[in-house]
Amino acid sequence: MKKTSTRLADGRELIYYDLRDDTVRDAVDRRPLERTVTTSEVRRDVLLGDSVAIASHRQGRTYHPPADECPLCPSRGDRLSEIPGPSYDVVVFENRFPSLAGDSGRCEVVCFTSDHNASFADLSEQQARLVLDAWTDRTAELSHVPSVDQVFCFENRGAEIGVTLGHPHGQIYAYPFTTPRTALMLRSLAAHKEATGGENLFDAVLERELAGERVVLEGEHWAAFVPYAAHWPYEVHLYPKRRVPDLLGLGDEARTEFPQVYLELLRRFDRIFGETEPPTPYIAAWHQAPFGTLEEFDGVTRDDFALHLELFTIRRTSGKLKFLAGSESGMNVFINDVPPERAAERLREVASS
Protein backbone atom coordinates (compact mmCIF):
# COMPACT_ATOMS: atom_id res chain seq x y z
CA MET A 1 0.00 0.00 0.00
CA LYS A 2 1.24 3.48 -0.89
CA LYS A 3 -0.10 6.45 1.05
CA THR A 4 0.01 10.00 -0.34
CA SER A 5 -1.29 12.98 1.63
CA THR A 6 -2.20 16.29 0.01
CA ARG A 7 -4.46 19.32 0.57
CA LEU A 8 -7.61 20.44 -1.18
CA ALA A 9 -8.12 24.06 -2.27
CA ASP A 10 -9.87 24.97 0.98
CA GLY A 11 -7.18 23.42 3.19
CA ARG A 12 -8.84 20.08 3.96
CA GLU A 13 -6.63 16.99 4.02
CA LEU A 14 -6.98 14.31 1.33
CA ILE A 15 -5.15 10.98 1.35
CA TYR A 16 -4.73 8.53 -1.52
CA TYR A 17 -4.25 4.83 -0.73
CA ASP A 18 -2.86 3.00 -3.76
CA LEU A 19 -2.25 -0.66 -4.53
CA ARG A 20 0.89 0.14 -6.56
CA ASP A 21 3.95 1.65 -4.89
CA ASP A 22 4.94 3.52 -8.06
CA THR A 23 1.69 5.50 -8.34
CA VAL A 24 2.27 9.26 -8.53
CA ARG A 25 -0.33 11.57 -6.97
CA ASP A 26 0.50 15.16 -7.91
CA ALA A 27 -2.86 16.49 -9.18
CA VAL A 28 -3.82 19.88 -7.74
CA ASP A 29 -7.33 20.88 -6.67
CA ARG A 30 -8.21 23.59 -9.23
CA ARG A 31 -11.54 24.61 -7.70
CA PRO A 32 -11.89 28.21 -6.40
CA LEU A 33 -12.93 27.15 -2.90
CA GLU A 34 -12.91 29.38 0.14
CA ARG A 35 -11.66 27.94 3.40
CA THR A 36 -14.23 25.67 5.05
CA VAL A 37 -16.13 27.21 7.98
CA THR A 38 -18.06 24.90 10.30
CA THR A 39 -20.31 25.54 13.28
CA SER A 40 -20.22 22.10 14.88
CA GLU A 41 -20.97 22.00 18.60
CA VAL A 42 -21.43 19.04 20.96
CA ARG A 43 -24.07 19.47 23.63
CA ARG A 44 -24.57 17.14 26.59
CA ASP A 45 -28.08 15.88 27.43
CA VAL A 46 -27.94 15.80 31.23
CA LEU A 47 -31.09 13.68 31.55
CA LEU A 48 -30.08 10.90 29.16
CA GLY A 49 -26.35 11.22 29.72
CA ASP A 50 -25.57 11.30 26.00
CA SER A 51 -24.36 13.94 23.56
CA VAL A 52 -25.84 15.62 20.48
CA ALA A 53 -23.86 17.28 17.66
CA ILE A 54 -25.39 20.59 16.54
CA ALA A 55 -24.18 21.29 12.98
CA SER A 56 -26.37 23.81 11.16
CA HIS A 57 -23.91 24.22 8.28
CA ARG A 58 -24.85 20.74 7.07
CA GLN A 59 -28.18 22.08 5.79
CA GLY A 60 -26.32 23.21 2.67
CA ARG A 61 -24.57 19.92 1.89
CA THR A 62 -24.76 18.27 -1.52
CA TYR A 63 -28.06 16.40 -1.92
CA HIS A 64 -28.69 13.69 -4.54
CA PRO A 65 -26.68 15.21 -7.40
CA PRO A 66 -26.94 13.64 -10.88
CA ALA A 67 -24.26 11.04 -11.64
CA ASP A 68 -22.31 13.41 -13.89
CA GLU A 69 -22.01 15.89 -11.01
CA CYS A 70 -21.02 13.42 -8.29
CA PRO A 71 -18.40 15.05 -6.01
CA LEU A 72 -16.84 11.64 -5.20
CA CYS A 73 -15.93 10.70 -8.77
CA PRO A 74 -12.41 11.58 -9.96
CA SER A 75 -11.77 14.96 -11.59
CA ARG A 76 -11.52 14.71 -15.36
CA GLY A 77 -11.03 17.64 -17.75
CA ASP A 78 -13.19 20.56 -16.65
CA ARG A 79 -15.31 18.28 -14.47
CA LEU A 80 -13.79 19.05 -11.02
CA SER A 81 -14.68 17.12 -7.86
CA GLU A 82 -13.48 16.49 -4.32
CA ILE A 83 -10.77 14.19 -5.73
CA PRO A 84 -8.26 16.13 -7.89
CA GLY A 85 -6.79 13.01 -9.55
CA PRO A 86 -8.24 11.43 -12.71
CA SER A 87 -8.53 8.04 -10.97
CA TYR A 88 -7.95 6.43 -7.59
CA ASP A 89 -7.98 3.12 -5.72
CA VAL A 90 -9.12 4.31 -2.27
CA VAL A 91 -9.21 7.89 -1.08
CA VAL A 92 -9.99 9.51 2.27
CA PHE A 93 -10.63 13.20 2.85
CA GLU A 94 -12.02 15.55 5.47
CA ASN A 95 -15.75 16.00 5.04
CA ARG A 96 -16.68 19.40 3.61
CA PHE A 97 -19.86 19.38 5.73
CA PRO A 98 -18.74 17.62 8.93
CA SER A 99 -20.99 16.76 11.86
CA LEU A 100 -17.92 17.03 14.10
CA ALA A 101 -15.02 19.44 13.65
CA GLY A 102 -12.18 21.06 15.61
CA ASP A 103 -12.32 20.32 19.33
CA SER A 104 -15.62 18.52 18.69
CA GLY A 105 -13.93 15.77 16.66
CA ARG A 106 -13.43 15.06 12.98
CA CYS A 107 -15.40 13.54 10.09
CA GLU A 108 -13.85 11.92 7.04
CA VAL A 109 -15.20 10.43 3.81
CA VAL A 110 -13.81 7.11 2.52
CA CYS A 111 -14.29 6.43 -1.21
CA PHE A 112 -13.96 2.70 -1.88
CA THR A 113 -13.48 2.90 -5.65
CA SER A 114 -13.54 5.46 -8.45
CA ASP A 115 -16.28 3.42 -10.20
CA HIS A 116 -19.50 5.35 -9.54
CA ASN A 117 -21.75 2.40 -10.42
CA ALA A 118 -20.04 -0.17 -8.21
CA SER A 119 -20.65 -1.12 -4.58
CA PHE A 120 -18.43 -2.56 -1.87
CA ALA A 121 -19.66 -6.04 -2.81
CA ASP A 122 -18.27 -5.51 -6.32
CA LEU A 123 -14.71 -4.94 -5.10
CA SER A 124 -11.99 -7.52 -5.60
CA GLU A 125 -10.44 -9.08 -2.52
CA GLN A 126 -7.34 -6.96 -3.13
CA GLN A 127 -9.40 -3.77 -3.24
CA ALA A 128 -11.38 -4.72 -0.11
CA ARG A 129 -8.11 -5.39 1.72
CA LEU A 130 -6.93 -1.91 0.73
CA VAL A 131 -10.09 -0.41 2.28
CA LEU A 132 -9.39 -2.39 5.46
CA ASP A 133 -5.83 -1.03 5.48
CA ALA A 134 -7.15 2.52 5.01
CA TRP A 135 -9.63 2.09 7.90
CA THR A 136 -6.79 0.79 10.07
CA ASP A 137 -4.43 3.60 9.12
CA ARG A 138 -7.02 6.29 9.81
CA THR A 139 -7.88 4.68 13.15
CA ALA A 140 -4.21 4.80 14.09
CA GLU A 141 -3.78 8.42 13.01
CA LEU A 142 -6.97 9.70 14.61
CA SER A 143 -6.25 7.89 17.88
CA HIS A 144 -3.34 10.32 18.40
CA VAL A 145 -5.52 13.43 18.10
CA PRO A 146 -5.87 14.77 21.69
CA SER A 147 -9.59 15.58 21.35
CA VAL A 148 -10.52 12.15 19.93
CA ASP A 149 -11.84 9.47 22.27
CA GLN A 150 -13.36 6.95 19.82
CA VAL A 151 -13.01 6.18 16.10
CA PHE A 152 -16.01 4.86 14.18
CA CYS A 153 -15.68 3.53 10.61
CA PHE A 154 -18.97 2.84 8.85
CA GLU A 155 -20.84 2.62 5.57
CA ASN A 156 -24.41 3.66 4.81
CA ARG A 157 -25.75 2.26 1.54
CA GLY A 158 -29.03 3.03 -0.19
CA ALA A 159 -31.41 5.96 -0.46
CA GLU A 160 -33.72 4.21 2.02
CA ILE A 161 -30.99 4.55 4.65
CA GLY A 162 -30.71 8.27 3.92
CA VAL A 163 -27.63 8.26 1.67
CA THR A 164 -27.46 11.46 -0.38
CA LEU A 165 -24.49 10.52 -2.59
CA GLY A 166 -24.80 7.34 -4.66
CA HIS A 167 -21.06 6.79 -5.13
CA PRO A 168 -19.71 3.78 -3.12
CA HIS A 169 -18.30 5.35 0.01
CA GLY A 170 -18.30 5.27 3.78
CA GLN A 171 -17.36 7.62 6.58
CA ILE A 172 -15.18 7.83 9.66
CA TYR A 173 -16.31 9.76 12.73
CA ALA A 174 -13.74 10.62 15.38
CA TYR A 175 -15.76 11.42 18.50
CA PRO A 176 -14.53 13.50 21.46
CA PHE A 177 -16.39 11.14 23.80
CA THR A 178 -17.28 7.49 24.21
CA THR A 179 -20.50 6.88 22.28
CA PRO A 180 -23.62 5.80 24.21
CA ARG A 181 -23.82 2.41 22.45
CA THR A 182 -20.22 1.61 23.33
CA ALA A 183 -20.77 2.76 26.90
CA LEU A 184 -23.66 0.30 27.23
CA MET A 185 -21.42 -2.52 26.02
CA LEU A 186 -18.68 -1.51 28.46
CA ARG A 187 -21.11 -1.46 31.40
CA SER A 188 -22.42 -4.91 30.47
CA LEU A 189 -18.83 -6.09 30.08
CA ALA A 190 -17.89 -4.77 33.52
CA ALA A 191 -20.96 -6.27 35.22
CA HIS A 192 -20.40 -9.69 33.63
CA LYS A 193 -16.72 -9.67 34.52
CA GLU A 194 -17.52 -8.98 38.16
CA ALA A 195 -20.40 -11.47 38.34
CA THR A 196 -18.39 -14.34 36.82
CA GLY A 197 -15.07 -13.74 38.47
CA GLY A 198 -13.36 -12.48 35.35
CA GLU A 199 -15.09 -14.05 32.33
CA ASN A 200 -15.16 -11.90 29.20
CA LEU A 201 -18.70 -11.27 27.95
CA PHE A 202 -17.69 -10.92 24.28
CA ASP A 203 -15.91 -14.27 24.42
CA ALA A 204 -18.94 -15.87 26.03
CA VAL A 205 -21.30 -14.47 23.38
CA LEU A 206 -19.10 -15.63 20.50
CA GLU A 207 -18.71 -19.12 22.00
CA ARG A 208 -22.47 -19.43 22.49
CA GLU A 209 -23.30 -18.27 18.99
CA LEU A 210 -20.75 -20.56 17.32
CA ALA A 211 -22.37 -23.51 19.07
CA GLY A 212 -25.88 -22.50 18.00
CA GLU A 213 -28.14 -22.26 14.97
CA ARG A 214 -27.63 -18.63 14.02
CA VAL A 215 -24.19 -18.91 12.40
CA VAL A 216 -24.26 -17.49 8.86
CA LEU A 217 -20.72 -18.26 7.74
CA GLU A 218 -17.43 -19.10 9.40
CA GLY A 219 -13.80 -18.94 8.33
CA GLU A 220 -10.60 -19.84 10.11
CA HIS A 221 -10.23 -16.34 11.60
CA TRP A 222 -13.72 -14.76 11.33
CA ALA A 223 -17.26 -15.75 12.25
CA ALA A 224 -20.57 -14.15 11.23
CA PHE A 225 -23.86 -14.77 13.03
CA VAL A 226 -27.30 -13.30 13.58
CA PRO A 227 -27.39 -12.29 17.27
CA TYR A 228 -29.86 -13.87 19.67
CA ALA A 229 -31.63 -10.55 20.29
CA ALA A 230 -31.28 -9.01 16.82
CA HIS A 231 -32.86 -5.56 16.62
CA TRP A 232 -33.23 -5.46 12.83
CA PRO A 233 -34.96 -7.81 10.36
CA TYR A 234 -31.65 -9.01 8.92
CA GLU A 235 -28.70 -8.25 11.19
CA VAL A 236 -25.31 -9.97 11.21
CA HIS A 237 -22.38 -9.49 13.57
CA LEU A 238 -18.90 -10.29 12.25
CA TYR A 239 -16.19 -11.08 14.82
CA PRO A 240 -12.53 -12.01 14.55
CA LYS A 241 -12.14 -15.28 16.44
CA ARG A 242 -9.17 -13.89 18.34
CA ARG A 243 -10.38 -10.99 20.44
CA VAL A 244 -8.70 -7.66 19.71
CA PRO A 245 -9.83 -4.18 20.83
CA ASP A 246 -9.59 -2.43 17.45
CA LEU A 247 -8.55 -2.72 13.81
CA LEU A 248 -4.93 -2.14 14.78
CA GLY A 249 -4.93 -5.44 16.68
CA LEU A 250 -5.78 -7.67 13.71
CA GLY A 251 -3.02 -10.06 12.64
CA ASP A 252 -1.92 -10.67 9.06
CA GLU A 253 -3.92 -13.89 8.70
CA ALA A 254 -7.15 -12.22 9.86
CA ARG A 255 -6.52 -9.28 7.51
CA THR A 256 -6.01 -11.64 4.61
CA GLU A 257 -9.19 -13.61 5.29
CA PHE A 258 -11.40 -10.59 6.01
CA PRO A 259 -12.12 -9.66 2.34
CA GLN A 260 -13.19 -13.23 1.54
CA VAL A 261 -15.66 -13.38 4.42
CA TYR A 262 -16.96 -9.82 4.25
CA LEU A 263 -17.49 -9.73 0.49
CA GLU A 264 -19.42 -13.00 0.65
CA LEU A 265 -21.55 -11.58 3.48
CA LEU A 266 -22.39 -8.44 1.49
CA ARG A 267 -23.23 -10.46 -1.61
CA ARG A 268 -25.60 -12.62 0.42
CA PHE A 269 -27.31 -9.47 1.69
CA ASP A 270 -28.00 -8.51 -1.92
CA ARG A 271 -29.62 -11.90 -2.53
CA ILE A 272 -31.92 -11.98 0.51
CA PHE A 273 -34.96 -10.63 -1.30
CA GLY A 274 -34.35 -12.08 -4.76
CA GLU A 275 -32.66 -10.86 -7.91
CA THR A 276 -35.60 -8.66 -8.98
CA GLU A 277 -35.30 -6.45 -5.89
CA PRO A 278 -33.04 -3.36 -5.93
CA PRO A 279 -29.75 -3.61 -3.97
CA THR A 280 -30.33 -4.16 -0.27
CA PRO A 281 -29.93 -0.95 1.77
CA TYR A 282 -27.69 -1.47 4.77
CA ILE A 283 -25.51 0.03 7.47
CA ALA A 284 -22.14 -1.59 8.20
CA ALA A 285 -20.59 -0.36 11.45
CA TRP A 286 -17.22 -1.16 13.03
CA HIS A 287 -17.22 -1.17 16.83
CA GLN A 288 -13.82 -0.42 18.36
CA ALA A 289 -12.67 0.20 21.91
CA PRO A 290 -12.39 3.88 22.91
CA PHE A 291 -8.90 5.32 23.16
CA GLY A 292 -9.69 7.45 26.18
CA THR A 293 -9.87 6.50 29.82
CA LEU A 294 -12.25 3.72 30.94
CA GLU A 295 -12.19 4.61 34.63
CA GLU A 296 -15.98 4.81 34.89
CA PHE A 297 -16.29 1.17 33.77
CA ASP A 298 -14.92 -0.63 36.83
CA GLY A 299 -12.31 -3.27 36.09
CA VAL A 300 -12.54 -3.00 32.29
CA THR A 301 -9.55 -2.33 30.06
CA ARG A 302 -9.32 -1.69 26.32
CA ASP A 303 -8.17 -5.27 25.83
CA ASP A 304 -11.47 -6.54 27.26
CA PHE A 305 -13.37 -5.00 24.35
CA ALA A 306 -13.92 -7.03 21.18
CA LEU A 307 -13.64 -5.43 17.77
CA HIS A 308 -16.59 -6.43 15.62
CA LEU A 309 -18.67 -5.27 12.68
CA GLU A 310 -22.46 -5.00 12.80
CA LEU A 311 -24.26 -5.21 9.44
CA PHE A 312 -28.01 -4.71 9.13
CA THR A 313 -30.75 -3.71 6.72
CA ILE A 314 -33.99 -1.83 7.31
CA ARG A 315 -35.75 -3.86 4.60
CA ARG A 316 -37.91 -6.51 6.30
CA THR A 317 -39.38 -8.16 3.21
CA SER A 318 -39.74 -7.43 -0.49
CA GLY A 319 -40.96 -3.87 -0.99
CA LYS A 320 -41.35 -3.18 2.75
CA LEU A 321 -39.10 -1.28 5.14
CA LYS A 322 -38.71 -1.46 8.89
CA PHE A 323 -39.51 2.02 10.22
CA LEU A 324 -38.70 3.06 13.76
CA ALA A 325 -42.10 3.71 15.29
CA GLY A 326 -43.22 4.72 18.77
CA SER A 327 -41.64 1.91 20.79
CA GLU A 328 -38.31 2.06 18.98
CA SER A 329 -37.95 5.83 18.60
CA GLY A 330 -39.73 6.84 21.78
CA MET A 331 -38.44 4.20 24.20
CA ASN A 332 -35.61 2.44 22.34
CA VAL A 333 -37.44 -0.90 22.68
CA PHE A 334 -37.14 -2.67 19.33
CA ILE A 335 -39.74 -5.01 17.87
CA ASN A 336 -38.33 -7.37 15.25
CA ASP A 337 -40.71 -8.98 12.74
CA VAL A 338 -38.16 -11.56 11.55
CA PRO A 339 -37.04 -14.26 14.03
CA PRO A 340 -33.22 -14.24 14.18
CA GLU A 341 -33.12 -18.00 13.54
CA ARG A 342 -35.11 -17.54 10.31
CA ALA A 343 -32.89 -14.63 9.24
CA ALA A 344 -29.78 -16.78 9.72
CA GLU A 345 -31.38 -19.63 7.79
CA ARG A 346 -32.19 -17.30 4.89
CA LEU A 347 -28.64 -15.93 4.80
CA ARG A 348 -27.31 -19.49 4.62
CA GLU A 349 -29.76 -20.34 1.83
CA VAL A 350 -28.47 -17.58 -0.42
CA ALA A 351 -24.83 -18.66 -0.21
CA SER A 352 -23.05 -18.28 -3.54
CA SER A 353 -22.24 -21.43 -5.48
Side-chain angles (χ1 to χ4, degrees):
M1 178 186 78
K2 181 181 180 182
K3 176 182 175 183
T4 306
S5 180
T6 185
R7 291 282 172 179
L8 296 174
D10 56 6
R12 288 174 295 133
E13 185 179 19
L14 180 143
I15 307 164
Y16 293 99
Y17 293 90
D18 288 294
L19 292 168
R20 291 174 57 95
D21 291 336
D22 59 354
T23 303
V24 176
R25 296 296 183 185
D26 55 6
V28 177
D29 186 3
R30 295 180 283 130
R31 296 173 298 170
L33 297 180
E34 295 182 0
R35 202 159 192 86
T36 301
V37 177
T38 63
T39 57
S40 178
E41 175 190 358
V42 174
R43 296 184 181 181
R44 182 79 172 169
D45 185 321
V46 295
L47 288 178
L48 296 180
D50 60 10
S51 299
V52 177
I54 309 297
S56 60
H57 62 276
R58 284 174 52 79
Q59 285 281 37
R61 66 188 184 274
T62 308
Y63 188 80
H64 292 299
D68 61 355
E69 296 180 16
C70 175
L72 306 185
C73 288
S75 293
R76 290 173 181 153
D78 294 331
R79 163 63 177 97
L80 305 179
S81 73
E82 289 281 69
I83 297 90
S87 66
Y88 61 85
D89 291 334
V90 173
V91 70
V92 177
F93 61 89
E94 289 183 75
N95 197 323
R96 190 177 178 186
F97 303 97
S99 302
L100 307 166
D103 293 338
S104 296
R106 175 164 161 140
C107 292
E108 299 180 341
V109 177
V110 185
C111 297
F112 304 139
T113 172
S114 59
D115 184 353
H116 180 85
N117 297 313
S119 68
F120 201 116
D122 296 322
L123 301 182
S124 68
E125 291 184 10
Q126 187 181 33
Q127 290 173 304
R129 169 63 188 267
L130 184 61
V131 176
L132 175 64
D133 290 341
W135 283 331
T136 305
D137 181 71
R138 295 313 302 152
T139 297
E141 291 291 329
L142 293 169
S143 72
H144 296 301
V145 177
S147 62
V148 171
D149 191 78
Q150 186 173 0
V151 179
F152 176 47
C153 307
F154 64 99
E155 178 191 3
N156 300 330
R157 188 182 81 161
E160 301 95 327
I161 292 292
V163 175
T164 57
L165 296 176
H167 196 101
H169 73 287
Q171 299 183 65
I172 300 175
Y173 276 23
Y175 298 101
F177 51 80
T178 297
T179 61
R181 189 175 178 86
T182 302
L184 286 173
M185 294 184 196
L186 291 169
R187 292 189 188 99
S188 296
L189 190 62
H192 186 84
K193 188 174 185 178
E194 181 179 6
T196 60
E199 182 182 69
N200 184 277
L201 180 57
F202 286 111
D203 291 350
V205 167
L206 182 58
E207 181 180 0
R208 181 189 69 187
E209 293 292 359
L210 287 178
E213 59 181 317
R214 290 178 296 276
V215 175
V216 174
L217 58 89
E218 183 178 358
E220 184 178 355
H221 303 283
W222 293 87
F225 57 87
V226 177
Y228 171 74
H231 289 55
W232 300 95
Y234 290 90
E235 175 181 341
V236 175
H237 293 189
L238 178 62
Y239 276 67
K241 289 185 175 180
R242 182 179 69 85
R243 173 166 43 91
V244 295
D246 51 41
L247 290 165
L248 305 175
L250 291 174
D252 288 339
E253 292 180 332
R255 292 182 181 279
T256 298
E257 187 182 78
F258 170 77
Q260 305 165 23
V261 176
Y262 188 50
L263 289 173
E264 171 61 17
L265 194 56
L266 291 180
R267 290 162 186 166
R268 291 192 192 188
F269 254 60
D270 274 342
R271 292 192 290 266
I272 294 174
F273 305 104
E275 295 182 359
T276 60
E277 286 288 315
T280 302
Y282 65 75
I283 292 176
W286 280 108
H287 292 263
Q288 305 191 80
F291 289 97
T293 177
L294 299 181
E295 291 179 357
E296 64 179 292
F297 309 104
D298 293 338
V300 171
T301 68
R302 289 194 78 250
D303 289 336
D304 289 322
F305 195 87
L307 167 76
H308 64 284
L309 181 142
E310 298 185 8
L311 172 69
F312 64 88
T313 179
I314 62 172
R315 186 178 292 164
R316 55 188 175 89
T317 189
S318 297
K320 297 180 181 179
L321 300 180
K322 162 66 177 178
F323 291 102
L324 297 190
S327 183
E328 291 92 350
S329 295
M331 283 297 174
N332 201 28
V333 178
F334 275 67
I335 302 168
N336 191 350
D337 300 324
V338 180
E341 293 73 22
R342 174 55 190 148
E345 181 182 20
R346 178 58 182 160
L347 285 162
R348 290 193 297 268
E349 289 174 352
V350 295
S352 60
S353 58

